[in-house]
Structures are given as structure tokens and as C-alpha cells.
């Protein structure tokens, strides 16, 4: 631990700061989860986890980045859990129907949100954190646990990929 300063959950200022960040956390979660109720669950679980570990937060550091990191980790942890549960269910009960990937690829994609979902998750994440959440490359890199150069590269690839997808959607409107 750097220094002896610790945050107390009874500190009204930190509680107000967390409450003020809820809209940003919900927006990030909605983008990750793509479901309002699921996103709210991830935010709630993340806040509970953050409050339980509030003594690990270093005063003077970026609370938003700390909370976004917890939310992101919570999302991926839940995704891994759902994948394990799904695999267990599939092993127990064979699925009779599966979506045809070509049907999904042939869908009419004109909406920016739909185009973004065609980007790899790391690129979508970079666009959301730096673009929509207006975080610096450094903050986004810290949240994702990657070097700043990697975050810049992901963002560049995401922008190029999105531009290519937009061109493709315009060239093939239907």
C-alpha cells in the first residue's frame, strides 16, 4: 500500500463521488452487456464489490478508473461464469437449434451500434472508453490492464475497422 491513507465507506464525499459516477458506469455496462437489466445487475454487483474493497482505493487516484476497472472485471467474470454454465447445460442437454452464422453476417447493418458489435471486444472497449467516456489513453489502458501503446493501437484499429464496416454497409444497403 502506498502511504497510510485509506478511504472509509462512512466518508460522505466518497459516497457522493460514487453516486455521481453511476450514470457513466451504467452507460459502460449497457454497452458491454447490451441489456438494460443485465447492465444494471453488473453495475450493482460492481458497486457492492467496490464498497467491500473501498479500503483498497488510494485517495488522490482516479475513482472513475478504479470503478470502471471493477465493473469491467465483474462483466468478464460473469461472462466466464455464464459460459461455464452454458457448457455444462449443453453437455447435459443437446441443443437442437443453433443460429446460422451466415444469416447473421447477411443481416442489414446500417446502425452504428450494430456496426460496433462487429468489432472485436477489445476494440469496442477502446472506442467506448476513449470515445464515449472521454477517458485518456492512459486511463483506458489502466482500466483494461494493457500498456498505453496497446490501447492506442486498439483504438486506431477500431476506428479503421468501423470506417471499413460503414463503407461496406453503404455499398451493400440491402
Amino acid at each position: 500500500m502506498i502511504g497510510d491513507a485509506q478511504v472509509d465507506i462512512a466518508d460522505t464525499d466518497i459516497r457522493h463521488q460514487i453516486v455521481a459516477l453511476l450514470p457513466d458506469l451504467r452507460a459502460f455496462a449497457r454497452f458491454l452487456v447490451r441489456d438494460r437489466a443485465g447492465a444494471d445487475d453488473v453495475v450493482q454487483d460492481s458497486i457492492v464489490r467496490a464498497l467491500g474493497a473501498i479500503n483498497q482505493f488510494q485517495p488522490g487516484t482516479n475513482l472513475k478508473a478504479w470503478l470502471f476497472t471493477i465493473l469491467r472485471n465483474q462483466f468478464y467474470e460473469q461472462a466466464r461464469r455464464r459460459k461455464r454454465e452454458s457448457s455444462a447445460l449443453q453437455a447435459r442437454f443437446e441443443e437442437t437449434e443453433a443460429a446460422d452464422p451466415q444469416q447473421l453476417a447477411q443481416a442489414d447493418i446500417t446502425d452504428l451500434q450494430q456496426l460496433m458489435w462487429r468489432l472485436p471486444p477489445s476494440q469496442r472497449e477502446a472506442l467506448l472508453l476513449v470515445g464515449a467516456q472521454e477517458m485518456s489513453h492512459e486511463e483506458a489502458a489502466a482500466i483494461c490492464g494493457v500498456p498505453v501503446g496497446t490501447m492506442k493501437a486498439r483504438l486506431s484499429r477500431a476506428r479503421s475497422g468501423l470506417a471499413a464496416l460503414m463503407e461496406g454497409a453503404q455499398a451493400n444497403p440491402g
Side-chain angles (χ1 to χ4, degrees):
M1 177 181 281
I2 301 173
D4 294 331
Q6 285 190 339
V7 175
D8 182 8
I9 191 56
D11 182 2
T12 305
D13 184 48
I14 194 75
R15 291 191 320 216
H16 288 299
Q17 290 176 37
I18 291 171
V19 169
L21 290 171
L22 284 175
D24 291 338
L25 290 166
R26 288 184 77 212
F28 184 46
R30 282 185 184 168
F31 186 80
L32 292 172
V33 178
R34 296 181 72 179
D35 171 62
R36 184 179 299 241
D40 288 345
D41 289 345
V42 171
V43 171
Q44 180 178 340
D45 292 346
S46 299
I47 294 298
V48 168
R49 183 169 284 182
L51 292 175
I54 197 71
N55 62 338
Q56 295 176 15
F57 176 71
Q58 295 295 316
T61 60
N62 189 332
L63 178 63
K64 184 176 183 178
W66 187 69
L67 291 172
F68 268 61
T69 301
I70 291 171
L71 186 140
R72 179 181 180 270
N73 291 342
Q74 185 71 22
F75 167 73
Y76 284 118
E77 180 181 310
Q78 288 180 4
R80 284 189 297 271
R81 186 178 317 123
R82 281 191 305 273
K83 187 174 181 179
R84 283 192 307 269
E85 290 169 357
S86 176
S87 295
L89 287 174
Q90 285 179 353
R92 179 110 170 119
F93 304 102
E94 288 189 16
E95 299 227 339
T96 58
E97 295 183 43
D100 182 7
Q102 285 190 335
Q103 287 177 338
L104 296 175
Q106 295 171 356
D108 183 24
I109 300 176
T110 56
D111 184 26
L112 177 62
Q113 182 179 0
Q114 289 175 329
L115 291 174
M116 287 184 67
W117 281 104
R118 295 187 60 197
L119 294 173
S122 61
Q123 292 179 16
R124 282 196 312 266
E125 201 169 56
L127 274 175
L128 181 68
L129 292 173
V130 176
Q133 291 296 326
E134 299 179 351
M135 291 186 177
S136 69
H137 291 103
E138 292 79 13
E139 291 170 325
I143 288 169
C144 294
V146 298
V148 175
T150 300
M151 181 55 61
K152 288 180 179 181
R154 286 179 180 177
L155 188 59
S156 176
R157 286 191 303 272
R159 289 176 176 155
S160 297
L162 191 56
L165 287 170
M166 290 174 74
E167 286 176 19
Q170 290 172 353
N172 301 317

